[in-house]
Amino acid sequence: MCDAAIAECEGKLAKYKQLYTGEGTPTNPAACKQLLHELKVLFTTFPTFLNPSADSATRIKEISLVREAMENSVLLAAATKNTDDFAQNFEILRVYYTDFKDEPKSERRLLILGLHLLRLLAMNETRAYHMELERIAVEDHDNMYIKDVVQLERYIMEGSYHKMLQARSKVPSAHYVPLMEMLLVTVRREVFKCATHAYEELSVEGARKLLMFDNTDDLMVFVAEERAKLGDDTSAWSHQGTKFTFSEADHPHASHIPFTTVMQNQLYYSHELQRIA
């Protein structure tokens, strides 16, 4: 029974690799996801599935197939920015990284762990990010997949957003690009909220640079979307000609506090509160 299931799994994995090489955006993500689902159903027939202590004549092959498929599931989720699928598949994969210690380590393990950290940053789950970082062996912290994400978090904490933008073009793997795009949106939203309480007025060009947009059109779309979330009871980010204005109610002491200080402090306290919550 296991031999037949293994042969079928190998066939489906080969078909998956024909559909998606693992780089860039898959042309048919629905078909990829369906193949991975079919594989997971077959995996339930393996004695070792999520059971490190189980004996099986095909143990090594079973572990290898499940691990490879779950890694592909995580990479597909990252490519399609499906954070829920990423989290679910990663938790299964985690078992194969931590509990099956008698098997050789996967060559993609640190890539996947780095993506996991980046996903947590992109979702603004700072407390979970630091907890997960502590679970990674210290000797792995110098690996480029881990080190680059740690540096990104430092840039955010420092308010060094220009460095974060530069890092976007120097990611250690193409797999990082979709999650980096998500992280950029998250940081923009945090800066947007901080600016609401720090400025009396801000030029459109200043806002473009502050929110890290390449052109004014994208800036205006972003501001309109985020401003709508503030509700009708605020005049913050009101567009007037070549500038944005902010109501006194939103920033009663803004004229006395440098914006950079406000932004860095708010981001720092937000991160610290998540860490100790």
Side-chain angles (χ1 to χ4, degrees), residues 136-155:
I136 298 174
V138 174
E139 59 266 26
D140 290 331
H141 284 205
D142 287 332
N143 179 274
M144 63 179 179
Y145 295 125
I146 308 301
K147 182 171 63 176
D148 280 28
V149 181
V150 172
Q151 188 61 65
L152 278 172
E153 198 260 349
R154 287 175 182 161
Y155 289 155

Side-chain angles (χ1 to χ4, degrees), residues 6-232:
I6 284 174
E8 189 173 356
C9 286
E10 289 176 330
K12 289 185 182 295
L13 264 177
K15 187 175 180 180
Y16 176 87
K17 292 173 183 176
Q18 292 175 351
L19 280 174
Y20 182 43
T21 61
E23 294 291 335
T25 303
T27 55
N28 193 341
C32 291
K33 190 172 181 179
Q34 178 59 32
L35 269 174
L36 291 170
H37 171 73
E38 293 170 7
L39 278 165
K40 292 168 189 173
V41 172
L42 286 170
F43 291 156
T44 61
T45 66
F46 290 176
T48 59
F49 184 62
L50 296 177
N51 185 5
S53 62
D55 290 325
S56 173
T58 54
R59 173 185 172 84
I60 294 177
K61 195 63 180 178
E62 291 171 28
I63 294 171
S64 175
L65 284 169
V66 174
R67 190 171 67 184
E68 182 180 358
M70 297 314 302
E71 286 178 336
N72 286 332
S73 296
V74 168
L75 294 176
L76 178 65
T80 55
K81 300 181 181 179
N82 189 326
T83 55
D84 289 339
D85 275 4
F86 189 114
Q88 292 169 9
N89 289 306
F90 179 80
E91 287 308 316
I92 295 174
L93 182 58
R94 188 201 294 275
V95 175
Y96 285 81
Y97 284 164
T98 59
D99 294 357
F100 290 81
K101 295 181 179 179
D102 55 329
E103 303 304 320
K105 290 184 178 180
S106 166
E107 293 181 357
R108 297 193 288 188
R109 182 180 67 91
L110 292 174
L111 165 65
I112 299 289
L113 291 177
L115 284 170
H116 177 52
L117 293 175
L118 183 56
R119 178 189 68 88
L120 293 173
L121 282 185
M123 297 181 67
N124 208 19
E125 295 184 8
T126 313
R127 181 188 178 207
Y129 162 83
H130 284 284
M131 290 175 64
E132 290 297 315
L133 182 59
E134 290 177 3
R135 297 178 71 165
I136 298 174
V138 174
E139 59 266 26
D140 290 331
H141 284 205
D142 287 332
N143 179 274
M144 63 179 179
Y145 295 125
I146 308 301
K147 182 171 63 176
D148 280 28
V149 181
V150 172
Q151 188 61 65
L152 278 172
E153 198 260 349
R154 287 175 182 161
Y155 289 155
I156 295 170
M157 290 291 291
E158 296 168 357
S160 301
Y161 302 118
H162 65 289
K163 292 182 181 179
M164 192 188 80
L165 284 176
Q166 292 172 353
R168 182 176 55 170
S169 62
K170 300 176 182 177
V171 290
S173 166
H175 293 295
Y176 278 56
V177 174
L179 295 180
M180 278 293 293
E181 293 171 352
M182 291 180 62
L183 175 61
L184 182 56
V185 172
T186 297
V187 171
R188 278 179 177 145
R189 287 174 176 159
E190 289 295 310
V191 173
F192 178 89
K193 288 188 290 186
C194 290
T196 300
H197 301 287
Y199 275 120
E200 290 184 346
E201 63 178 46
L202 177 63
S203 70
V204 171
E205 177 61 14
R208 183 191 68 76
K209 293 178 180 178
L210 184 67
L211 294 170
M212 300 167 284
F213 282 104
D214 294 328
N215 59 74
T216 303
D217 290 341
D218 289 344
L219 165 70
M220 300 307 291
V221 171
F222 175 82
V223 170
E225 292 174 347
E226 294 303 309
R227 190 165 180 263
K229 298 174 185 177
L230 297 176
D232 299 327

